[in-house]
Structures are given as C-alpha cells and as structure tokens.
Amino acid sequence: MREVAVIGIGMTKFGELWDKSFRDLVAEAGVKAIMDAGIEGKDIDAMYIGGMSSGGFVEQEHVAPLAIEVAGLEDFHIPATRVEGACASGGLAMRQGYIAVASGIHDIVLVGGAEKMTDVVGTEATNVLASAADREWEAFFGMTFPGLYALMARYHMHKYGTTQEQLASVAVKNHYNGSMNPNAQFNRKISIEDVLASPMVADPLYLLDCSPITDGAAAAILAPLDIAKKYTDKIVKILASTQASDTISLHNRKRFDALPAAIHAARQAYKMAGVEPKDIDVAEVHDCFTIAEIMAIEDLGFFEKGKGGKATEEGLTAIDGQIPINTSGGLKAKGHPVGATGVAQINEIVMQLRGEAGKRQVKDAEIGLTHNVGGSGGTAVVHILGVI
Amino acid sequence: MAVPRYWREIPARYNLIGKRCKVCGRVYFPPRNICPVCRRKSVGQMEDYKLKGTGVVESYTIIHVPPPHFEGEEPYIMALIKLDEGPYVTGQIVECDEKDVHIGMRVRATFRKIMEDGEKGAIYYGYKFVKEEE
C-alpha cells in the first residue's frame, strides 16, 4: 500500500445559500481545492463525490458526471463516482479516494462532498433526512431523525446522569468556535440559557441542540506521498482511514449509549496509525446533535463512557482544553450539508495541521482526527491525519 | 406510495408476527430473513412467530417537529420498547400524558391508524403502545 497525502483543500461558505445552486457549490469547492493543491484539471485521475440525497433535495441523481461537467473536466473522461452513506457520505468519498490512491490504481484523486438542502420547503427536509433511518420500522411509525438521537440522549441521561445543561454546553462551545470561522453558517455566540429557551424539537433535544439545514460543498485533493512534493509544500499525511457499519435501525443495536460502529472504526484507526487517543491534538467529530458529540468523545476514547457531558461542561474540549473538539464550529455551528460534512471535517483538520486556522488555531497541532457518522450510527468513518 | 409496499408488511404491523430462528430459538422483530447468530444455518429456518406485544420502555422522546404525514399530531411520544420476548421496537405511545411516561414503564401493543396517504390515498394501520395496567 502506498502512503497517501492530502495536498489541497477547498470549501464553500456553509449556510442558507439561496443564490447558489447545487452546481455552483460543487464547482466552487472543487476549483478551490485544485488551486490550493497547485494542480491542473488534467492532472486528476479520478473523482469521488459524497452526497446523501441530491434526489430528495434537488431531484437530481447521477451527480458524479454532473460534477465533472460543472468543473469543465469532461474531455478527460476520468472515472467519477458518487458515494452514499447518509450523513457519512463525505467521509466515505474521502475513504474511497484514499483506497484508490493507496492501492496504486489512481495517483491524483479529487474528493468532494455536497448537499443543497434549502431547495425543499416545509417538513420535506425532515422527511428526506428520515430516510437515513429505517423507513419501514422507524420513520413509518412517526419517528424522526432528531427523535432517534433524543432516544439516545434520554438513555444516556438516565444511565450516566448526563444533564440538559451538559448537552447545551456542546452547542455553546461549538457556536463559540464557529464565531471564529468565516465559513461557518453561524458566527453568533450562544449561552446555555439560549439553548434551553429555544423551541423543543424532540424532547430532550431543543432546536439549539440540533445541527441546522445547510447548503455547502467541500473538496480535497489526494496524491501519493512520494510525488506530493512535486505539487506543493503544504502536505498532510493520511495516517489512517477506517470505516465500520451497524444496523440501520437504532432498535436493533446492541447498545444505545454509544455508536458501536464508531467504536470499531476508531479502534482500527488508532491501530492503523499507531497512535492512541491521548496522541490526538485536535478532532472534528459528528455533532449532528449535542448528544452525538458527547457519545463521540467517549466512543473515540478521549473520555470514559458516561463522562463526556461533564468533560464538555468543564471546558476540556475547548480550543485551549485537553482535547479540542470541533474547532470549526462542528456540524452545529459550521453547518451540516450532510454529504459535504465528512470532507469539510478533513478541510478543518488540514487547516489546523498546516497552522492556517487563524483565531481558532490549536497550538502545535500535529495529529488530527475526523469522525463522520451516517444515520443514527449505521455507518462510521474515521480518518487520522498527521504533519510530515 | 404503492399499496403493496404497505400490504406486504401487514402481518408484522397488524399482528406483531416476527420471526423465530429454529436453530437457536432467538426471536426477531421486526422480522428478519437471516439470524445474525446462526447466519447460513438459519436460511430457510426462520419461522413466523407471534409476539405478545408487551414490553417495557427503555427510552422515549416527545416529538415536537413531526414528519409530513404526522403534522398536526405533535406533540406525541415515541419510544424504544424492549418486548418481553427480547427484541426492541420503535413505536408511539398513546393515551399517556407526556408527564407520566418514564423509563421502565410497562406497555402493551394496540392496533391503531398510523397515517393516511393524503385525503384520497390509503390509510395505513399498525401498532402503537399504551400503558399496561398493573
């Protein structure tokens, strides 16, 4: 297997981007990554694009050739593949790109992720997102996506004494981080009181416990480490790329206080990278809901199971804390265009490792981790990146 | 939605017919084609098995932002229920005040209307749960 590097990144601003179409977003993120890497379009050997439901959101499937077309790359006839794993689609695209380069099949690979979520109205977005859950045995009966995480939140609170304020402290931290990220959907700081005064979505999750509906795209350029220097000096190495699965339905899982797929993917990633949780300097985790970040920092081994809420409340996951989590603002504040999220997480970690994260820079960050989850935990993808 | 999609799930949704692996005796609901413990040995060995419909609330939520077919019904209680035979199931709890629902509460399945496909479409039925009287 060859060693693989990220040689370029790019993303759009995240938010409710009414003036931008799915195509505009894909083109913008892709071009930014290509320019950042110092490559030309003709250097690209393959493309993988993550997207959860372009069909549901903009009535457009077959988006890989569409991405090739908007990027003006059709004359090269390179293979282009869309990858789907609900909210983990972007992470899966990244992993497919990694596998393609590591195996020697392709040299330069463009990885992308995109979702245009605000072109539907009313509760339709809720309905499309519910298709990441089990349509026949969860959604059919009236279950929603926030509802599934609310079940896990209530369970975690009951079992470990996690509090409503501890959940809220995740959102408060991530909004604080997001206030320093120009690409974030929300640059507004919030308080615990703001979270607890926001409308209830699925008890015990308030609106401000939930990540928003977002438009956005992100991209990254991958290359074999040994030829990466030909293009750029800003090289970040991929130390691990792992993925695990579990049942699509929550009710068929072996436990409800963790995402077993995330635990599996994390264990394999630490082994592959030859590092331990304590070696990670910064992590982007899948905080689609505040409870999801609490479970994530436990599942990743940063904190003991059941202690994630307390750790967050005590500031241990702040930028200057023991393990800075979601410096970008996370899904909560940066926004969550579902298919783009996994690649946007890579963008943030690469920025941190290059020392380009500005006001939210983690001092001397050398090893970073991303944790991207699909559905209520049916898919989990973990990447560990390091400076060279 | 085409009616057959709902029609073929009627045994499970109306009468809680799940599956029992004849090899190991484990019971599955919702029905599964393959027992994840016995795997290939279970192929062709999964028999219909009617669950009693009684169980206990393992976790619950109150839905305030509903999906399209449930608009107007909010707030409503959705729960993760451990059935007495072992499987867990997701279902709505009705005839229960949101202040009364709690983890550990005994419930039993009851036959109810779940939703309708617009004004002229099919009406879909299935199980919901009510508090079990002690």
Side-chain angles (χ1 to χ4, degrees):
Chain A
M1 258 194 355
R2 300 194 291 184
E3 294 191 303
V4 182
V6 181
I7 62 170
I9 50 168
M11 65 181 281
T12 66
K13 180 177 168 54
F14 280 8
E16 294 185 341
L17 311 174
W18 295 316
D19 58 336
K20 291 208 164 74
S21 69
F22 181 85
R23 294 160 199 241
D24 296 335
L25 297 170
V26 168
E28 183 184 332
V31 166
K32 280 180 175 168
I34 288 168
M35 309 270 272
D36 183 55
I39 62 168
E40 291 181 46
K42 66 176 171 58
D43 298 324
I44 300 168
D45 298 314
M47 189 201 71
Y48 294 92
I49 181 166
M52 172 184 163
S53 189
S54 50
F57 289 118
V58 292
E59 299 180 316
Q60 179 72 64
E61 306 293 13
H62 208 190
V63 296
L66 177 68
I68 290 290
E69 185 178 338
V70 299
L73 297 174
E74 67 263 37
D75 288 348
F76 302 111
H77 302 290
I78 59 168
T81 310
R82 173 223 179 140
V83 185
E84 191 273 320
C87 321
S89 300
L92 294 191
M94 178 72 187
R95 183 168 150 75
Q96 290 306 309
Y98 170 81
I99 291 169
V101 177
S103 69
I105 297 274
H106 297 301
D107 283 338
I108 309 291
V109 171
L110 170 58
V111 170
E115 214 81 56
K116 174 73 194 173
M117 300 173 72
T118 63
D119 275 356
V120 292
V121 295
T123 53
E124 191 49 33
T126 306
N127 192 40
V128 174
L129 290 170
S131 63
D134 184 330
R135 179 64 74 182
E136 305 297 340
W137 303 103
E138 291 177 330
F140 173 82
F141 292 96
M143 184 47 96
T144 63
F145 213 68
L148 289 168
Y149 275 91
L151 290 177
M152 290 188 260
R154 176 95 59 203
Y155 190 89
H156 203 277
M157 292 163 91
H158 183 77
K159 187 165 182 179
Y160 301 112
T162 301
T163 67
Q164 200 86 60
E165 287 75 15
Q166 288 170 353
L167 293 178
S169 66
V170 173
V172 172
K173 168 188 67 76
N174 289 349
H175 270 255
Y176 177 80
N177 295 350
S179 74
M180 296 181 284
N181 182 355
N183 284 329
Q185 179 164 2
F186 301 123
N187 297 124
R188 176 173 70 97
K189 292 174 199 164
I190 58 169
S191 65
I192 301 273
E193 293 71 29
D194 291 333
V195 179
L196 303 183
S198 64
M200 191 63 90
V201 172
D203 196 343
L205 301 178
Y206 291 92
L207 182 65
L208 289 178
D209 283 299
C210 308
S211 57
I213 301 287
T214 310
D215 303 324
I221 310 288
L222 309 186
L225 186 61
D226 56 7
I227 65 167
K229 277 216 153 51
K230 200 172 108 187
Y231 299 101
T232 179
D233 294 328
K234 300 182 291 186
I235 297 166
V236 168
K237 187 177 157 189
I238 302 176
L239 304 176
S241 172
T242 61
Q243 176 188 345
S245 56
D246 204 335
T247 60
I248 184 170
S249 63
L250 176 65
H251 53 236
N252 277 345
R253 301 266 168 78
K254 294 286 185 294
R255 58 193 292 189
F256 307 117
D257 62 343
L259 304 185
I263 294 175
H264 276 263
R267 271 189 203 142
Q268 291 168 23
Y270 290 132
K271 195 175 163 196
M272 187 173 178
V275 300
E276 294 176 39
K278 66 170 172 52
D279 299 321
I280 305 296
D281 299 314
V282 56
E284 287 284 300
V285 309
H286 199 90
D287 60 321
C288 49
F289 300 95
T290 49
I291 182 62
E293 178 167 319
I294 289 173
M295 290 194 296
I297 59 180
E298 298 166 353
D299 294 348
L300 291 168
F302 299 141
F303 301 98
E304 206 180 305
K305 186 48 73 182
K307 302 277 172 65
K310 191 162 181 285
T312 307
E313 195 171 42
E314 289 174 352
L316 303 183
T317 58
I319 288 174
D320 58 355
Q322 177 188 320
I323 169 73
I325 301 289
N326 284 332
T327 54
S328 69
L331 283 56
K332 176 68 204 78
K334 183 183 64 206
H336 183 27
V338 281
T341 285
V343 186
Q345 292 177 323
I346 297 290
N347 269 250
E348 178 70 8
I349 294 300
V350 168
M351 287 179 78
Q352 287 286 355
L353 299 185
R354 286 180 183 174
E356 294 173 356
K359 280 194 233 168
R360 58 184 199 282
Q361 180 65 46
V362 173
K363 201 166 168 283
D364 302 327
E366 292 186 344
I367 300 178
L369 177 149
T370 65
H371 156 280
N372 187 200
V373 171
S376 63
T379 298
V381 195
V382 172
H383 283 96
I384 300 178
L385 309 180
V387 296
I388 57 165
Chain B
M1 292 277 184
V3 170
R5 178 171 177 185
Y6 293 91
W7 166 77
R8 63 180 172 253
E9 309 298 348
I10 281 177
R13 289 192 185 142
Y14 284 21
N15 292 316
L16 282 109
I17 308 292
K19 292 286 181 187
R20 179 180 170 274
C21 173
K22 283 201 264 184
V23 181
C24 70
R26 284 181 178 82
V27 174
Y28 296 99
F29 191 89
R32 295 181 73 142
N33 297 327
I34 293 168
C35 168
V37 179
C38 303
R39 297 191 299 281
R40 76 167 56 201
K41 279 184 255 162
S42 71
V43 175
Q45 301 296 314
M46 303 294 280
E47 61 182 3
D48 286 352
Y49 186 89
K50 182 168 169 50
L51 287 97
K52 289 181 294 183
T54 51
V56 62
V57 173
E58 285 285 312
S59 189
Y60 68 94
T61 175
I62 296 148
I63 304 290
H64 290 260
V65 179
H69 286 99
F70 294 81
E71 283 171 316
E73 288 186 38
E74 74 276 15
Y76 57 91
I77 305 167
M78 291 298 298
L80 184 62
I81 292 153
K82 184 172 201 262
L83 297 173
D84 290 341
E85 293 88 345
Y88 288 80
V89 67
T90 301
Q92 189 178 341
I93 296 179
V94 291
E95 292 171 23
C96 176
D97 193 285
E98 11 175 306
K99 290 186 186 66
D100 290 342
V101 61
H102 58 270
I103 291 173
M105 186 172 93
R106 294 279 311 166
V107 292
R108 65 174 170 80
T110 176
F111 181 73
R112 295 294 165 103
K113 174 178 147 183
I114 304 295
M115 61 169 163
E116 53 193 63
D117 229 352
E119 282 181 22
K120 293 175 181 167
I123 297 174
Y124 304 117
Y125 297 90
Y127 50 79
K128 292 184 181 180
F129 292 85
V130 293
K131 189 176 176 183
E132 196 174 40
E133 301 304 326
E134 273 101 46

